[in-house]
Amino acid sequence: MIRHLSFIIFLAMTLKTRTFAVMKLQTLTLILLTVLPVSCRRHSGYSNENNDRPTVTVSIAPQAWILEAIAGDSIRINTLLDTGANPETFEPGINNMKLAAESSLLLLSGNLGFERQLAERLRENTPGLTISDTSRGIKPIYGTHDHAGHHHHDHAHETADPHTWTSVRNARIIAGNMLSALISVDPDNETYYRNRASRLDSQLDSLDSAIASRFEQLQSRTFMIWHPSLSYFARDYGLEQISVGMEGRETTVQGLRSIIDRAQSSGAPILFVQSDFDPRQAETLSRETGARVITISPLDHDWISQINIITDALDPR
């Protein structure tokens, strides 16, 4: 009860800061009343119905895939990011914050903008919640989201590329961080978690080796992509990622011409696009460069299928 009362105060503060001052008192009261019951409902389709197991909240669906591989049915999983939402512009709503506050553990992806503010507020108002950054230990990449192309040596004022999960090698680090966090909130199942995590690590190690082997004889080590979401994947295997659009903004005509020239000179055979991006410039680039357009969904829950789609596109043998 104390924990939920703390969350009521937290929720009221959040509403105030988000210009909800005009909300009627009756409406606010109804919202707060929904917080009082100790309940952990399904969210985003990744949970089970055993309420006496720990509830773990993750930021994005690929994290849920990794977590499920480690924890199986021993926990309930909530996913914060709504289906189809952009993680770089997403702002958690009331229900998102409630789900996170009711969890035993919050696993952050690490560099997504909405996570920072959410974590700060939860730390202040729900001290019983364990928060873990699953990107801990991953060497960040900077400059990929600077549309003007300015790469500063001082990273203190830059944002690290948030797409850490699109790398198999990073996924092994993420899984290790998840394992440690799980054990901290559910030590009774430590052996179970360790055994499953060990199997997952072996699978990821084999997948990484297989991709590296396939890419040894690539005819072109360059690819184009609409949004720079494969920076870590490219770093792992010595590939060059040519970004067409950044942060949802379209490239200028002059910038597009420069990209076309660069793609033509490099012989990039593939253009990756995400399903929620405007396809018009992708079609123009495909016509101009001859690159084959491949649709990917980096935020899909079936993480390993997306890795396979990317790998098969770059090495279609």
Side-chain angles (χ1 to χ4, degrees):
M1 175 64 99
I2 293 175
R3 183 173 179 180
H4 287 289
L5 289 175
S6 297
F7 180 69
I8 289 175
I9 297 172
F10 159 52
L11 183 58
M13 291 171 62
T14 302
L15 291 173
K16 183 178 179 181
T17 60
R18 297 190 181 191
T19 67
F20 280 96
V22 297
M23 182 178 286
K24 292 182 179 180
L25 178 60
Q26 295 94 328
T27 303
L28 178 59
T29 301
L30 287 173
I31 294 173
L32 294 179
L33 286 174
T34 65
V35 176
L36 289 175
V38 181
S39 63
C40 298
R41 295 189 292 272
R42 290 177 67 94
H43 184 62
S44 299
Y46 313 127
S47 60
N48 59 57
E49 301 301 327
N50 193 341
N51 289 336
D52 61 357
R53 298 302 178 92
T55 299
V56 179
T57 295
V58 296
S59 296
I60 55 176
Q63 286 180 291
W65 185 93
I66 298 172
L67 184 58
E68 287 171 351
I70 299 171
D73 294 329
S74 65
I75 63 172
R76 301 180 69 247
I77 303 175
N78 298 319
T79 304
L80 285 176
L81 191 71
D82 297 329
T83 301
N86 184 341
E88 293 170 37
T89 59
F90 177 70
E91 189 171 347
I94 295 169
N95 193 48
N96 298 120
M97 293 183 288
K98 178 179 180 292
L99 286 165
E102 289 181 341
S103 302
S104 300
L105 175 63
L106 172 62
L107 296 174
L108 303 176
S109 177
N111 295 307
L112 295 174
F114 74 87
E115 294 177 317
R116 191 175 304 108
Q117 186 179 34
L118 177 67
E120 288 175 358
R121 291 178 176 175
L122 288 171
R123 286 190 179 99
E124 291 176 1
N125 297 282
T126 54
L129 173 64
T130 299
I131 301 176
S132 178
D133 179 355
T134 62
S135 71
R136 188 178 63 255
I138 294 174
K139 183 179 179 181
I141 294 176
Y142 295 94
T144 59
H145 287 57
D146 182 353
H147 193 67
H150 300 299
H151 300 274
H152 307 288
H153 295 292
D154 181 10
H155 298 316
H157 303 291
E158 291 185 283
T159 300
D161 189 308
H163 306 95
T164 53
W165 67 90
T166 59
S167 155
V168 179
R169 295 175 189 177
N170 286 355
R172 297 180 68 186
I173 297 174
I174 291 168
N177 288 331
M178 286 184 174
L179 173 63
S180 298
L182 273 175
I183 292 172
S184 72
V185 298
D186 188 21
D188 290 344
N189 280 319
E190 178 175 355
T191 300
Y192 175 75
Y193 294 146
R194 287 194 182 279
N195 288 340
R196 291 181 63 95
S198 179
R199 289 195 294 271
L200 174 63
D201 188 69
S202 295
Q203 292 168 0
L204 295 178
D205 184 40
S206 297
L207 177 60
D208 176 36
S209 297
I211 295 173
S213 178
R214 288 180 64 175
F215 286 178
E216 284 180 357
Q217 303 300 322
L218 283 181
Q219 293 183 346
S220 175
R221 306 196 71 81
T222 303
F223 63 88
M224 292 186 292
I225 190 166
W226 186 264
H227 183 77
S229 57
L230 297 180
S231 307
Y232 295 94
F233 185 91
R235 180 175 70 181
D236 285 350
Y237 307 111
L239 308 177
E240 181 183 5
Q241 171 184 254
I242 300 177
S243 302
V244 179
M246 297 188 183
E247 299 179 0
R249 297 194 298 269
E250 289 190 352
T251 306
T252 64
V253 174
Q254 182 179 1
L256 187 59
R257 184 69 258 172
S258 175
I259 291 169
I260 290 173
D261 291 343
R262 183 182 172 193
Q264 288 177 330
S265 64
S266 66
I270 297 296
L271 168 60
F272 290 112
V273 297
Q274 293 174 221
S275 57
D276 56 344
F277 280 89
D278 188 338
R280 292 173 297 177
Q281 287 193 0
E283 292 171 358
T284 300
L285 281 169
S286 179
R287 287 195 303 269
E288 292 281 345
T289 65
R292 186 161 53 102
V293 178
I294 301 294
T295 301
I296 58 174
S297 300
L299 286 167
D300 194 86
H301 174 255
D302 193 353
W303 172 86
I304 198 165
S305 290
Q306 291 300 311
I307 294 294
N308 287 331
I309 289 171
I310 294 163
T311 302
D312 290 342
L314 292 170
D315 178 35
R317 292 175 296 172

